[in-house]
Amino acid sequence: IEQLRAQFLVPSMALPQVKLGQKLSLKVAETGAAVPATVSHIGAVVDPASSTVKVLAEVDNQAGALRAGMRGTLVLLSGEPAP
């Protein structure tokens, strides 16, 4: 699988910092590798229990090292969306 989708939750207070097309770095817990990702969807609903919004990112997996269900930490690289 060359592309995977990462799902993560963003606190509603931090949502203005997240933009469609924004570049991310995903540090994969199982491998320790950092792989590039791009925000592809920002949810329209704030969960009332957690005050978070679901965000999706497309993850580059051309090397084939990642598997569905792996966990990691996402780091926002820039406040600017990709051109």
Side-chain angles (χ1 to χ4, degrees):
I1 300 172
E2 292 182 8
Q3 284 285 114
L4 292 176
R5 181 170 289 141
Q7 175 180 307
F8 57 103
L9 300 174
V10 174
S12 60
M13 295 297 288
L15 203 54
Q17 299 170 26
V18 181
K19 309 286 185 221
L20 285 176
Q22 184 170 9
K23 300 297 182 186
L24 307 170
S25 177
L26 171 63
K27 183 170 182 182
V28 182
E30 288 84 352
T31 66
V35 295
T38 304
V39 175
S40 60
H41 174 81
I42 300 171
V45 178
V46 176
D47 181 302
S50 64
S51 295
T52 59
V53 175
K54 186 188 314 183
V55 176
L56 302 177
E58 300 302 316
V59 180
D60 180 9
N61 189 34
Q62 292 182 9
L66 304 178
R67 303 287 180 257
M70 288 182 157
R71 298 181 183 268
T73 303
L74 284 166
V75 177
L76 298 173
L77 298 179
S78 167
E80 296 298 317

